[in-house]
Structure formats: structure tokens, C-alpha cells
Amino acid sequence: MKRTQIKLCIIGFGNAAKAFCQILNDKADEIEKTYGYKVIVTAIAGRSKGSMIDASGIALEKMLASIQKTGKLSAREEDLIDCQTNELIEGCNADVMIELSTLSITDGQPAIRHIEKAFVRGLHVITANKGPIAWDFERLSTMADKLKRIFLYETIVMDGTPIFNLVRETLPGCKVLSFKGILNSTTNFILEEMERGATYDDAVKEAQRRGFAEADPSLDVDGWDAAAKTTAIANVILKAKLKPTDIDRTGIGGITIEEIKEAGLKNKKIKLLCEGYMENGKAIGKVHPVLVDRNDIFSHIDATSSALSITTDMMGEIYIIEKDPEIEQTAYGIYSDLLTLLKRLKYEQ
Amino acid sequence: MKRTQIKLCIIGFGNAAKAFCQILNDKADEIEKTYGYKVIVTAIAGRSKGSMIDASGIALEKMLASIQKTGKLSAREEDLIDCQTNELIEGCNADVMIELSTLSITDGQPAIRHIEKAFVRGLHVITANKGPIAWDFERLSTMADKLKRIFLYETIVMDGTPIFNLVRETLPGCKVLSFKGILNSTTNFILEEMERGATYDDAVKEAQRRGFAEADPSLDVDGWDAAAKTTAIANVILKAKLKPTDIDRTGIGGITIEEIKEAGLKNKKIKLLCEGYMENGKAIGKVHPVLVDRNDIFSHIDATSSALSITTDMMGEIYIIEKDPEIEQTAYGIYSDLLTLLKRLKYEQ
């Protein structure tokens, strides 16, 4: 079997990136044995942790230990470089960019620029950032096709749970007609706390304390995160050309504990539902709180779990559910895209 | 694009086969456009409907109309042939066998013999019959590998809902640790009828009246169908070497209406659960009625719906659910296997 090296550059280095590098380190032999490629990380662009380039491959175990100890990619100051992310993408001579920069919900930047730069420089791209898929999917995927680059993004919704691959790889010949899902953990958790009797404000505070909500919770509670996910799914599986601002969006801010109690008396729960469907040949996206019957599967999707129902012309309705994910499931999503990419490269040879 | 003909022979011609031929007829142009193959049916082995061979391709629309009108594949007696199924497989010169013969739960025959014969004659095989996978998967799949034949069987559990493809195509690098599911509609329906107050006998009669249960309901109510499915899943995704008789199996025959009422008082339901897991390096399969909490997703899998939860080392637990399937979803499963096969043939060229 021909052995070839595949060089990764990782843009953004938060918890998912760390967990991904841990997997890469643990599975190096298995990857090489199964796919015939030796995968190395030659560049990392972090923010507080610093950036590094090493053409011979960054020692992952040492790097992870250094972060643990010093908060930096390397304990030796001279290992770290000072450069713009775009310069790093241009100069790192990698084969694949793993784009994990922080989401900007308002425009999908800087991730979109990173991805364009990578394609132009001949890199394949894997991203876990929903911004580019929500804001600029059609253009980026057309660019990837033209430049014969592979573009994968399974992790952007429901971590490594197959959504895009489910439709692409396992439902051949099916046309997706509509989808609906519970896709935002923060609002799901807040609504559950309110069912238990907490006020909205206390529920938000508890979500913040548990790390489910940001200091500014508006991205979640106003439905922006859910809207970006809805847009991303619609753009890929309904071939829509939506932007998050096109979504008919209502957050959970206006929901009172009385409404939740009243729903409970009717044997119902309030859930923040994401929906996408076709209407007169046009894709419509919606995010809104709805009453869900307690006999409905969606009513039993707890806090950090999520669920998507997909209705197709030939296979009717199927649901896929991710139960209690942790950061490892996000990292697996990136890893599964890497394996998909290696498999395609292997086929193309 | 190179155009090539792919010739199918269909063994067994019940409702799923009819619905599959309807899809083939409707989608002929789409298949040719997408995969570059013209798919024709050159042989059908039916029982009451008769058998036919036509090297130039059976006219599907005419054949389906004839069944509707006369109950036979052709209204012209001289079109029908009288031969053994094995002779037909040997003599029909097809590329792919679609094995849809009736399940024999006690030994997986005659489907196993059909599949062996097909492999030896150089045919690829798609089956919707769980018998061969439950009774003889390891030998048949090894045979397929050695003879470089494609062997697909997505439809045997949960119709066209991806189970085997889900693991194979969308969870790369994952090792399945265990699974559990609600996979038998008949028992699910009977238990629901009993929740509504019917006695066991009345519930069985209602299931028979609605077409969910056979005249002899023992295959379902004694858990044999569920055990065959459990074995098939375990053999494929846990790489087990089980037979249906190895399953620790309890049916629903002994369940009383009092037990169901008592469960209801505790906010629980009784469901027939299929389970597979590894214990000391050995695969274990179980089919047994269990108490399921009403907050559990499984408690909301109604009558003909089914659900499978898969736990893997890297992706944790995910569920896939098929909602209210009809015969079209079974036919789609066979069709999706056909498209998977055409895609592989296209890649290999």
C-alpha cells in the first residue's frame, strides 16, 4: 500500500480542536493502516494559545501537555510564531484545513475568508463552523467543485451525528421535502428548568452556571443559533439559498412560567422547534417555540440531546437523535469528516 | 458517459417486489442519467403469479397491470415458464439477484441456497430477507468477498431506514459497542391495544384483522421475528456469530392486562426490546418485554414505527427512528441498495 503524508493545518484551537488532536494522536496507527495515509498537523493558528508551524509535524502529545500546563501550544516561547491566520493558511503548505474558528453569527466571518483562501491555495476544507454554511454555502461549495477540493462540514449540526452524510450517503435517490428539529441545547435546557419551576431569569443563570449559555445568552435565547443551524441544513439538504436573516425567527424570551404550566396541564411541553420546508418552490425556514404533545418523540429530547426529523419523497419520515453529547462527539464529527476525506482521496488515486 | 445494461432477476414476487418494480419503472430515466446504467428486469420467479424470463427486459408496466387484472405476471399463458428457482437463477444470465423469497425463520432457506447459487454464477445480491443474515451471514459475506460480488441487505431491518449503511458509511472509525431497539410491529401493536384495555386474545385478533399479524401469530408474539432481526444486526454491526436460536428470547404471550395496567400506574409501558452487546468478548443477544419509562424515547415508538439506538466508542449513543412505514418504504430499501450497488460498480470501472 502506498504511504502518503497528509498535512493538516488547524485554524482555531478551542476544546473541540484539543479533543480532535487527542483522537488524531490516539488513532494515528489505525488511520495509516486503514487508509494508507500518515496524517500530521503542520500548523495551528490559536489565539490565546499562540500559533505554530512545524513542517515535520507538531508533536501532538507534547503540545496537548503544554496547553494543560502553560495554556500555550508550546512552553518554549521561540516555538510560537506571530502571524495573521491568512498568512498562516498561505504559508503552511498543508493539504487540508480544519476550520474551527469562533462563529460569527452576523456574517460567518472570518471563517468564510479562511475557507476561500484555503481553496485558492489548493487545500481541502473541513469545518465545524456553521457560519460559512449558513451565510455562503452555495458560493463556497461551487468554488470547491470548480477547484476540485473536498468540502466537509458534518459537525456543524448535532456534532458527529450524521445529518448531511445521512442524506448524501444513505438515502440515495431520495429528495428531502422538509425537516424539523430540536437543535439548540441552551434553550432546551432553559425551558426544562422552567418546567421544574424556575423563572426565566433563574433558568438562564443556571444555564450559564452549567456552561450551557454564554455570558450574553442572546445568540441562543433569541433563536439566532437555531436559525443559523436551520439555514445551514436548508441550504444543504433542501438546496435552499437562505441566510440566517431570512428565517422566520422567534426566541424563547417572551415565554412565561404560566404558559409552561398551562402547557403541562394539557399534557404538552414548549420546545424551540427548527423547521424547513418547500412552499411554492421556495425554501422556508422557521425557528419558533411550539407546543409539543408528551406523546411526541420531540418532547423527550432532553437538555443537551438533539433530534432531527427528515421527510423525503421515497422514505417518508425518519428521525435521528443524538443523546447527551460531550465535546468528544464534536471532535468525532471532525474526525469522521477527515476519514471521509481520506477515503475519497484513496478512491481518486 | 458509457451506457451499460444491468440485468436483474427477482426471486419472490410479493407486495414489496411489486412496489419495487413500480419504482424501477418510474425512475428508469433518473437512474440512467445519474449512474449511467440502464436497469432492466430479465427474470422473475414468482409462486402463484408465475415465473418469466425475457432477455430483452420484461415490460414492467404491462406486467404490473397484468398482476392487477389476472393475478399473473402475464395474461398470456405462453409467457410464463415452469422451472425451479435455482434453474432460473442459473439460466437467466442476470447481473444482480434481488432475493425477496418468503422468510423461513427456522433455517433461512431457501434464500441461503438462492444467494449461494447467485454468487457462484457471478451475480451480485440484494436481499430483503433477514433469514440469510441471521443464519449464515459470515459464510455468505466471506463468499461474496472471495468472489468479488456485492452483497447488500439494508431492507432486512426497518425497511429502507439506514441501519447497516448508517454504521458503514456515516460512522467511520467507530466501533459499535451495543444496540437496542423496538423492531417488531406486531407485538408493538398488540401491547398498545392491551394498554387501551383489550385482552391479549382480542389484541391478537385485531392485529390479524388489520393485517399486522399472521394467521399463526407465533413468529411475532413468541419473539422469533425480533430474535432474527437482533441476530442479523448483531452479526453485521457487532461482528457476532450468532444464530436466532442463540438469542435469550421471551415473547409477549405471558403478559397480562393487569401487568400493563400496573406499569401504567408507574408511568411506564411494556415494550418488546431487542438488545445486543458484548460481554467478555462475546456477543450477547436478547429479546424480552421490558418496562420503559414514559420519558424514554422508546415508549413513544407507536405500532408500526420502529427505533434502534446504537452506542459506539467514539460517538456515544444515537437513535434512528422509522415513522409509520408502508410497503413503499420496504421497496425503497431495495431500491436504495440497487443505487448503492450501481454507485460501487461505477466507481470500480
Side-chain angles (χ1 to χ4, degrees):
Chain A
M1 191 184 267
K2 190 179 153 201
R3 304 277 157 175
T4 314
Q5 227 173 32
I6 293 285
K7 301 187 287 294
L8 311 186
C9 73
I10 302 177
I11 308 302
F13 210 81
N15 288 331
K18 275 200 299 182
F20 169 68
C21 283
Q22 188 62 59
I23 295 178
L24 267 190
N25 187 60
D26 296 346
K27 300 280 182 180
D29 291 346
E30 187 180 316
I31 297 171
E32 196 170 345
K33 213 174 134 193
T34 312
Y35 298 91
Y37 292 104
K38 187 175 168 63
V39 176
I40 59 172
V41 179
T42 55
I44 297 176
R47 285 195 299 188
S48 62
K49 299 181 189 77
S51 297
M52 266 180 108
I53 289 191
D54 184 339
S56 65
I58 294 167
L60 298 178
E61 212 159 348
K62 195 174 151 200
M63 179 271 290
L64 291 167
S66 167
I67 290 178
Q68 183 78 7
K69 218 169 150 185
T70 68
K72 297 280 180 189
L73 295 176
S74 173
R76 290 158 34 109
E77 191 69 37
E78 59 268 39
D79 290 344
L80 301 176
I81 55 166
D82 184 23
C83 77
Q84 296 294 311
T85 302
N86 274 335
E87 290 167 19
L88 184 133
I89 297 168
E90 276 207 14
C92 71
N93 193 28
D95 305 299
V96 181
M97 175 174 81
I98 312 283
E99 217 293 331
L100 306 173
S101 70
T102 309
L103 168 68
S104 162
I105 201 89
T106 53
D107 60 0
Q109 295 293 6
I112 292 172
R113 281 195 297 274
H114 297 162
I115 293 173
E116 286 176 296
K117 176 70 77 183
F119 284 151
V120 170
R121 294 294 296 183
L123 280 74
H124 303 292
V125 173
I126 291 168
T127 185
N129 189 322
K130 66 184 94 66
I133 315 299
W135 285 101
D136 216 0
F137 176 66
E138 200 200 3
R139 196 177 61 89
L140 292 173
S141 63
T142 305
M143 199 174 166
D145 287 347
K146 274 193 189 152
L147 296 168
K148 294 201 183 350
R149 296 300 90 188
I150 299 170
F151 184 30
L152 300 170
Y153 39 79
E154 186 59 77
T155 322
I156 64 168
V157 182
M158 292 174 70
D159 306 303
T161 309
I163 300 301
F164 305 111
N165 285 327
L166 186 79
V167 173
R168 193 186 294 127
E169 303 295 334
T170 74
L171 294 170
C174 274
K175 189 177 167 189
V176 179
L177 304 176
S178 65
F179 65 86
K180 56 184 182 175
I182 295 179
L183 302 171
N184 178 269
S185 312
T186 311
T187 50
N188 211 33
F189 176 82
I190 291 170
L191 292 170
E192 273 179 22
E193 284 294 294
M194 290 175 75
E195 277 164 32
R196 292 193 194 97
T199 63
Y200 175 77
D201 290 340
D202 285 346
V204 170
K205 274 181 203 146
E206 180 62 16
Q208 286 166 330
R209 198 185 66 77
R210 303 265 290 263
F212 298 154
E214 305 289 327
D216 171 7
S218 59
L219 271 192
D220 291 310
V221 297
D222 293 344
W224 279 112
D225 175 78
K229 285 173 177 158
T230 303
T231 314
I233 299 173
N235 286 349
V236 180
I237 73 176
L238 291 181
K239 298 180 173 52
K241 293 171 190 180
L242 295 174
K243 298 198 183 304
T245 39
D246 297 326
I247 302 296
D248 177 359
R249 178 183 49 80
T250 309
I252 62 161
I255 295 170
T256 63
I257 198 157
E258 285 69 32
E259 287 173 302
I260 287 180
K261 274 184 194 155
E262 206 179 310
L265 291 174
K266 292 181 197 151
N267 216 22
K268 291 178 195 292
K269 290 187 185 190
I270 297 180
K271 292 280 188 188
L272 187 67
L273 194 74
C274 301
E275 286 186 273
Y277 53 91
M278 302 302 291
E279 199 172 71
N280 304 323
K282 206 171 151 254
I284 307 285
K286 262 190 194 174
V287 170
H288 53 154
V290 295
L291 283 174
V292 177
D293 194 276
R294 276 178 202 260
N295 287 325
D296 190 302
I297 289 160
F298 278 152
S299 82
H300 302 287
I301 305 303
D302 345 303
T304 60
S305 297
S306 50
L308 188 71
S309 133
I310 298 174
T311 300
T312 66
D313 55 350
M314 300 190 75
M315 223 352 257
E317 186 179 13
I318 63 174
Y319 287 69
I320 188 147
I321 297 169
E322 177 182 37
K323 192 88 179 134
D324 305 326
E326 306 278 347
I327 194 72
E328 284 73 22
Q329 275 69 52
T330 312
Y332 171 73
I334 305 163
Y335 179 65
S336 79
D337 272 349
L338 176 66
L339 298 187
T340 301
L341 188 146
L342 297 179
K343 188 179 158 190
R344 287 208 206 160
L345 292 179
K346 200 177 154 186
Y347 256 122
E348 283 167 14
Q349 279 192 344
Chain B
M1 189 183 264
K2 189 180 155 202
R3 305 277 157 176
T4 314
Q5 226 175 33
I6 293 286
K7 302 188 285 292
L8 311 185
C9 74
I10 302 177
I11 308 303
F13 211 80
N15 288 331
K18 273 200 298 182
F20 169 68
C21 283
Q22 188 62 58
I23 296 178
L24 267 190
N25 187 59
D26 297 345
K27 301 279 183 183
D29 290 347
E30 188 181 318
I31 298 172
E32 196 169 346
K33 212 174 135 194
T34 312
Y35 298 90
Y37 291 104
K38 188 175 167 64
V39 176
I40 59 173
V41 178
T42 55
I44 296 175
R47 285 195 298 189
S48 62
K49 300 183 189 73
S51 296
M52 265 178 108
I53 290 191
D54 184 339
S56 65
I58 294 168
L60 297 179
E61 212 160 346
K62 193 175 154 199
M63 179 271 291
L64 291 168
S66 167
I67 289 178
Q68 183 77 7
K69 218 169 148 183
T70 68
K72 297 279 178 188
L73 295 176
S74 174
R76 289 156 35 106
E77 189 71 36
E78 58 269 39
D79 290 344
L80 302 176
I81 56 166
D82 185 23
C83 77
Q84 295 294 310
T85 301
N86 274 335
E87 290 167 18
L88 184 133
I89 297 168
E90 277 206 13
C92 71
N93 193 28
D95 305 299
V96 181
M97 175 174 80
I98 312 282
E99 216 293 331
L100 306 173
S101 70
T102 309
L103 168 68
S104 162
I105 202 85
T106 52
D107 60 1
Q109 294 293 6
I112 293 172
R113 281 194 297 273
H114 297 162
I115 293 173
E116 285 177 296
K117 176 71 75 181
F119 284 151
V120 170
R121 294 294 296 185
L123 280 72
H124 303 293
V125 173
I126 291 168
T127 184
N129 189 323
K130 65 184 94 64
I133 315 299
W135 284 102
D136 216 0
F137 176 65
E138 200 200 5
R139 195 176 62 89
L140 291 173
S141 62
T142 306
M143 198 172 167
D145 287 347
K146 275 194 189 152
L147 297 169
K148 295 198 183 350
R149 296 299 91 188
I150 299 170
F151 183 29
L152 299 170
Y153 39 80
E154 187 58 78
T155 322
I156 63 169
V157 182
M158 291 173 70
D159 307 301
T161 308
I163 300 302
F164 305 111
N165 285 326
L166 186 79
V167 173
R168 192 186 293 128
E169 304 294 335
T170 75
L171 295 170
C174 273
K175 189 177 167 189
V176 179
L177 304 175
S178 64
F179 65 87
K180 55 184 182 175
I182 295 179
L183 302 172
N184 178 268
S185 313
T186 310
T187 49
N188 211 33
F189 176 83
I190 291 170
L191 292 170
E192 273 179 22
E193 285 293 295
M194 291 173 76
E195 277 164 32
R196 292 195 194 96
T199 63
Y200 175 78
D201 289 339
D202 285 345
V204 171
K205 273 181 206 148
E206 180 61 16
Q208 286 165 330
R209 196 186 67 78
R210 303 265 289 264
F212 299 153
E214 305 289 327
D216 172 7
S218 59
L219 272 193
D220 291 310
V221 298
D222 294 343
W224 279 113
D225 175 78
K229 286 173 175 158
T230 304
T231 314
I233 299 173
N235 286 349
V236 180
I237 73 175
L238 292 180
K239 297 180 174 50
K241 294 172 190 179
L242 296 174
K243 299 199 183 304
T245 39
D246 296 328
I247 303 295
D248 177 0
R249 178 184 49 79
T250 309
I252 63 162
I255 296 170
T256 63
I257 199 156
E258 285 71 31
E259 287 172 303
I260 288 180
K261 275 185 193 156
E262 205 180 311
L265 292 174
K266 293 181 196 151
N267 216 22
K268 292 179 195 289
K269 290 186 184 191
I270 298 179
K271 291 281 188 185
L272 187 67
L273 193 74
C274 302
E275 286 186 274
Y277 54 90
M278 301 301 293
E279 200 172 70
N280 304 322
K282 204 171 153 254
I284 306 286
K286 263 190 192 172
V287 169
H288 53 154
V290 295
L291 282 174
V292 177
D293 194 277
R294 276 179 202 257
N295 286 325
D296 191 303
I297 288 160
F298 277 153
S299 82
H300 302 288
I301 305 304
D302 343 305
T304 59
S305 298
S306 50
L308 188 71
S309 134
I310 298 174
T311 300
T312 66
D313 54 350
M314 299 190 76
M315 224 350 259
E317 185 178 14
I318 63 174
Y319 287 69
I320 189 148
I321 296 170
E322 177 181 38
K323 192 88 179 133
D324 305 326
E326 306 278 346
I327 194 72
E328 284 73 21
Q329 276 67 54
T330 312
Y332 171 72
I334 305 163
Y335 179 64
S336 80
D337 272 349
L338 176 66
L339 298 187
T340 301
L341 189 145
L342 295 180
K343 188 179 159 189
R344 287 207 204 159
L345 291 180
K346 199 178 153 185
Y347 258 121
E348 283 168 15
Q349 278 190 345

